[in-house]
Amino acid sequence: MSGEADRRPGVPRGERGATAVTERVVAKIAARVAREALSRFAEPAGHVPPGRRAPHVSTSVRRAPERTSAGRDAESAAGRQAVLGEARLHITVELGYPSDVGAQCAAVRREVTERVRAWAGVEVSYLAVSVGQLHSAHSRHTDRERVR
């Protein structure tokens, strides 16, 4: 079937079209995965107000360079998924305190990198996870004195 498509007159093979993954799609995937990764840390998440649990993601996606047919054949022979591009991500999260901030950020980094690659076919070349705010259980009580 692909042999017929190669013999068709008209638009050359390299100009027929391509699958493109937009920045918005990558950002949505990353936000969902980050939220799921943080939900595994149940106790500190209870300190974060419900409206502030969604991570904020900034994304830049660059399309992968055109591959030759030899590159496609080698990729399929190795059983690997084609890489459609490269993404640079910055994720800002709000966490409960006290908690293991490093473990939570590492979980977000690891899972976002793996799942963006698997779900969108985009390689994550840079991923920064920053903590925008820490929410203490004591900070929710506005009628009490300041905690030092």
Side-chain angles (χ1 to χ4, degrees), residues 33-113:
V33 172
R35 191 171 42 252
E36 288 175 6
L38 292 174
S39 70
R40 292 187 185 92
F41 297 88
E43 188 176 319
H47 302 311
V48 181
R52 305 190 78 174
R53 291 186 182 152
H56 175 74
V57 181
S58 300
T59 309
S60 171
V61 176
R62 189 174 68 186
R63 216 171 126 190
E66 292 295 323
R67 298 181 322 253
T68 62
S69 61
R72 277 191 295 271
D73 294 341
E75 219 167 56
S76 62
R80 285 181 278 170
Q81 178 185 2
V83 176
L84 300 175
E86 178 180 272
R88 296 176 54 86
L89 302 165
H90 182 258
I91 302 174
T92 304
V93 295
E94 295 189 17
L95 303 176
Y97 183 81
S99 66
D100 189 350
V101 174
Q104 292 178 75
C105 290
V108 168
R109 191 176 301 109
R110 180 181 56 253
E111 291 188 34
V112 166
T113 301

